[in-house]
Amino acid sequence: MRDIDSKTITDAVIGYCEPETDERLKYLLTHGLAHLHNFIREVRPTHAEWRAVIDKLTRAGSITTDERNEFVLFSDVLGVSSLVDMLNSDPSATAASVLGPFHIHDAPELKVGGDLIRGNPGEQVVVSGHVRDAGGKPVAGVTMDLWQTAENGLYSNQDPNQPDYNLRATMNLGPDGRYLFTTVKPAPYTVPDDGPVGDLLRATGRRAWRPAHFHVIVRADGYKPIVTELFLSDDPYLDRDAVFGVRKSLVVEYRPRHSIEGLPSDLEARSRMKIPFSVIDYDFVLVREKR
Ligand SMILES: [Fe+2]
């Protein structure tokens, strides 16, 4: 193949796919490459500009570890992670939001009504609600994964001063799909900005802040799992989330309470709540997995 130019090179590269190439891979490559080549033709980067792109990616690779993935962060701050979430979400289900890098599998089980506060400083919160199907009926057999930052804006796996699995739990719900626990208010935090992603944020005048949030994964047999986040209605960064994770439907009303009157009797920390505390009530909706 020697007779190629700036117009025919796209077809030439695509033409290298042998017939045994997986159909979906071929589709993704063909379309991805066409967009990439068209982008290059359109913006005509100089050699120095393209080298700068390669240098950023090289640096992203060199600082990526099991605990920190700069490529995921690029995907997040460029809005691609959220776009993939949106396109794979069922409109009848609770909106999805970014998983983030701080989830740990197999967090200790917390029973419904259990307490995550366990000596953590900060404003105390009662979080409750139900998991329902698209028709409003409770879903049985739900497991929830819960994780959040402490008052200092750090997750337990970022902060040597927090006990293992601090502010993390797995909760198995009963047939009524009801969940309930006490915790402390999470804090806004910045995504890591000491790598090429940080360079990009600074070069575009952006901030690395994320509004405070509770991370939740909701799953049940036969239903499409939901990976999402709940945001607090009084957070100053709701409209400036560095990773575009906020959805209107995921912003929850954060209501102060001055008495334990009316709190459920199965709330383990009921009698030791620090007044004033706040309550959050939010229902999740799962939809059936398509067969
Ligand atoms: Fe997070």
Side-chain angles (χ1 to χ4, degrees), residues 52-61 63-64 68-82 191-192 195-201 206 242-244:
V53 172
I54 302 287
D55 286 349
K56 295 290 180 202
L57 293 175
T58 305
R59 192 158 162 239
I63 63 171
T64 289
R68 171 182 180 170
N69 191 319
E70 195 75 359
F71 294 103
V72 172
L73 202 52
F74 261 127
S75 167
D76 291 349
V77 303
L78 294 175
V80 180
S81 302
S82 281
V191 297
V197 167
D199 294 344
L200 177 70
L201 295 177
R206 284 174 56 182
V243 305
F244 306 98

Side-chain angles (χ1 to χ4, degrees), residues 122 147 157 201:
W147 70 107
N157 51 347
L201 295 177

Side-chain angles (χ1 to χ4, degrees), residues 155 189 210 213 215 229:
Y155 290 90
Y189 61 84
R210 293 215 63 208
H213 50 270
H215 284 280
E229 305 174 285

